[in-house]
Amino acid sequence: MEEKESKQKGWLNWLQDHEENFNEELHLLLTQGVVKCLPSDGYIKGAGWFLRFADVEAGEWNLAHPFGSVNSYVQFLRDIPASTFFHLLVPIEDLETLKQNGVPDPEERLIWHRDILKKPEKKLAETSSSLPPGFQGELKFFETPNEDGLWNLKGYLLKNNSIVSLVKPIHVTPHTVEVYIETAASFRGMGLGTWLLAEYRKRLRVKGFRMVYVSSETNFSSRMVAKKIGLEPYQVLARIPFSNPANSD
């Protein structure tokens, strides 16, 4: 038991040192404990995979995210559980080496963006209580602690008491908040999501958090939102459906 707890503490420390690139794994290890390192001492050796085990029946994906050099972590592919279907999240610069090792082509590329602010703001600007130009409605933010103790802030634009645009956290780590933004179809093209995301970022900055925003490479509208509010791309990972035949009976 002590050895297992020691290894989990080692995983946690490693993920905290690589917080922005492994924000989802860190969040899930902090909150649910559904993340494992493969091999279990890979964080010491400098290469391996972090495996995220999901509720597949709820539509979630099991994910495998490597670290270290591709020539080092590729050798542990054979140890990924064969009984579980995973989606690999791998750096695009490693794709050719992975292909040479029998890994199929990716289905999509995902781009991580982050706030470029280096220091937190001391207070909200006075304009934070305004509304998007031409929009007649309400702006509401709700700050509540999650059951896991992590910070939780949700923002809404409402019209006639109905939500037309929302932003919420999906992964929270000690210094980052990965966000999800959605606007009702009939209100898209008005800049509401962009405006709301910028307002949300102001509140993150005051709390000392750095915004993280992930979009598909082919989702140009989502990428444009990130660009408009000044988020910078810093990581591109390819998603590859993967079933390991190595350990099959």
Side-chain angles (χ1 to χ4, degrees):
M1 179 64 70
E2 290 183 359
E3 182 180 358
K4 180 179 179 180
E5 291 179 352
S6 176
K7 287 181 178 179
Q8 288 183 334
K9 184 177 180 181
W11 305 345
L12 181 61
N13 291 338
W14 190 96
L15 290 171
Q16 287 176 330
D17 289 340
H18 301 81
E19 184 175 357
E20 289 189 348
N21 293 81
F22 289 81
N23 60 303
E24 179 174 357
E25 290 84 356
L26 177 54
H27 169 94
L28 292 172
L29 188 57
L30 286 169
T31 59
Q32 301 176 31
V34 292
V35 174
K36 294 183 179 180
C37 186
L38 177 71
S40 60
D41 60 351
Y43 66 98
I44 297 175
K45 296 179 177 179
W49 298 79
F50 276 99
L51 308 181
R52 171 258 175 104
F53 295 89
D55 184 353
V56 178
E57 293 183 358
E60 299 177 351
W61 289 341
N62 297 310
L63 300 176
H65 188 175
F67 59 95
S69 70
V70 61
N71 290 322
S72 296
Y73 73 67
V74 72
Q75 64 182 305
F76 300 112
L77 266 174
R78 63 179 181 271
D79 298 321
I80 291 179
S83 59
T84 305
F85 186 81
F86 281 87
H87 291 259
L88 309 183
L89 292 178
V90 300
I92 58 172
E93 57 268 23
D94 296 348
L95 287 177
E96 184 58 37
T97 300
L98 290 170
K99 187 175 182 179
Q100 293 171 4
N101 283 271
V103 175
D105 292 331
E107 283 200 354
E108 68 173 339
R109 298 185 181 198
L110 299 168
I111 305 174
W112 269 249
H113 306 78
R114 62 186 169 195
D115 189 3
I116 61 175
L117 184 73
K118 302 300 182 182
K119 296 181 180 180
E121 295 183 352
K122 295 182 179 180
K123 62 180 182 179
L124 288 174
E126 294 181 0
T127 55
S128 293
S129 60
S130 64
L131 289 170
F135 178 75
Q136 301 297 319
E138 298 178 86
L139 169 66
K140 290 187 177 181
F141 281 95
F142 297 94
E143 182 177 346
T144 58
N146 281 333
E147 293 181 359
D148 50 41
L150 294 178
W151 185 73
N152 183 17
L153 176 71
K154 297 178 181 178
Y156 304 92
L157 282 172
L158 302 102
K159 190 174 183 66
N160 299 325
N161 295 319
S162 296
I163 297 173
V164 300
S165 189
L166 67 88
V167 59
K168 64 179 182 179
I170 52 176
H171 299 119
V172 181
T173 64
H175 303 100
T176 74
V177 175
E178 182 185 341
V179 300
Y180 170 81
I181 181 85
E182 180 69 26
T183 300
S186 58
F187 286 87
R188 292 173 186 167
M190 301 170 58
L192 299 183
T194 302
W195 186 92
L196 182 59
L197 196 62
E199 286 296 309
Y200 191 86
R201 181 180 58 179
K202 293 176 184 178
R203 288 158 174 80
L204 293 188
R205 287 176 170 180
V206 169
K207 294 290 185 178
F209 288 108
R210 190 180 183 107
M211 177 183 285
V212 174
Y213 181 70
V214 183
S215 66
S216 171
E217 186 180 54
T218 59
N219 190 337
F220 298 106
S221 60
S222 182
R223 292 171 59 188
M224 185 57 66
V225 168
K227 183 177 181 179
K228 284 181 178 178
I229 70 168
L231 301 181
E232 65 173 11
Y234 70 95
Q235 175 178 242
V236 182
L237 301 179
R239 179 177 65 83
I240 306 173
F242 179 80
S243 182
N244 180 18
N247 295 325
S248 299
D249 294 332

